[in-house]
């Protein structure tokens, strides 16, 4: 648990909420510009963008708080995302980084070097967790890997 990170991260989240900014629009515009082939996977972009943005921010904040629910949730999300095609680690990494970037832009003056470092540390931890889940599911479900590789 990193109480200092959690406090800095919470302050940024509160600043964005107080400003009434919904970061999902900027996040998804940027993500879908970078990965246009993913647009077709979203049957209801409005609902998915809300959920995915919230889950990503909650996971990073949960990591900062030392929450035990983060790993099982990430492992489940990674395996269920297989329903939308083979997502690469690079796509997950980009989404997490873009979420932090969108939050930084929306937080304004509440975002300083310490806040940025806190979010980036937890983003790195989340990306490592996603990589672990990808590797574990690939090992557990090798037939899925063979199907997407071929």
């Amino acid at each position: 648990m990193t109480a200092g990170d959690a406090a800095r991260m919470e302050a940024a989240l509160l600043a964005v909420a107080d400003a009434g900014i919904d970061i999902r629009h900027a996040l998804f515009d940027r993500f879908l510009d970078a990965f246009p082939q993913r647009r077709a996977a979203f049957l209801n972009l409005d609902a998915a963008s809300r959920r995915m943005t919230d889950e990503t921010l909650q996971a990073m904040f949960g990591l900062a708080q030392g929450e035990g629910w983060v790993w099982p949730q990430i492992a489940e999300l990674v395996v269920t995302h297989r329903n939308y095609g083979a997502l690469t680690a690079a796509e997950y990494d980009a989404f997490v980084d873009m979420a932090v970037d969108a939050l930084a832009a929306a937080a304004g003056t509440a975002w300083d070097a310490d806040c940025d470092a806190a979010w980036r540390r937890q983003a790195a931890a989340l990306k490592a967790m996603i990589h672990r889940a990808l590797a574990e599911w690939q090992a557990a479900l090798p037939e899925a890997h063979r199907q997407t590789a071929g």
Side-chain angles (χ1 to χ4, degrees):
M1 182 168 92
T2 52
D5 279 3
R8 288 180 184 94
M9 293 167 76
E10 183 176 25
L13 291 169
L14 290 171
V16 172
D18 288 345
I21 299 171
D22 189 347
I23 70 163
R24 70 189 170 97
H25 301 293
L27 169 57
F28 272 79
D29 286 348
R30 189 169 168 209
F31 180 77
L32 292 173
D33 282 348
F35 302 97
Q37 72 279 14
R38 291 294 174 204
R39 185 174 299 277
F42 294 97
L43 300 176
N44 184 334
L45 183 59
D46 183 62
S49 66
R50 291 173 194 274
R51 185 179 62 257
M52 288 174 60
T53 302
D54 289 348
E55 288 170 344
T56 302
L57 298 177
Q58 289 169 2
M60 286 185 276
F61 190 59
L63 286 169
Q65 294 178 307
E67 296 288 346
W69 57 262
V70 179
W71 166 247
Q73 179 179 336
I74 296 306
E76 180 181 347
L77 287 172
V78 166
V79 76
T80 58
H81 275 92
R82 292 178 315 125
N83 294 323
Y84 305 103
L87 279 81
T88 66
E91 288 172 294
Y92 282 105
D93 288 353
F95 189 84
V96 171
D97 289 338
M98 290 175 189
V100 175
D101 293 344
L103 190 65
T109 59
W111 196 273
D112 60 17
D114 290 335
C115 181
D116 189 72
W119 278 99
R120 302 285 173 195
R121 274 190 293 276
Q122 301 312 317
L126 177 57
K127 290 185 291 186
M129 193 173 278
I130 291 167
H131 291 220
R132 175 182 159 204
L134 285 167
E136 289 186 12
W137 282 117
Q138 182 176 327
L141 304 168
E143 71 285 350
H145 176 68
R146 279 194 299 274
Q147 290 172 352
T148 60

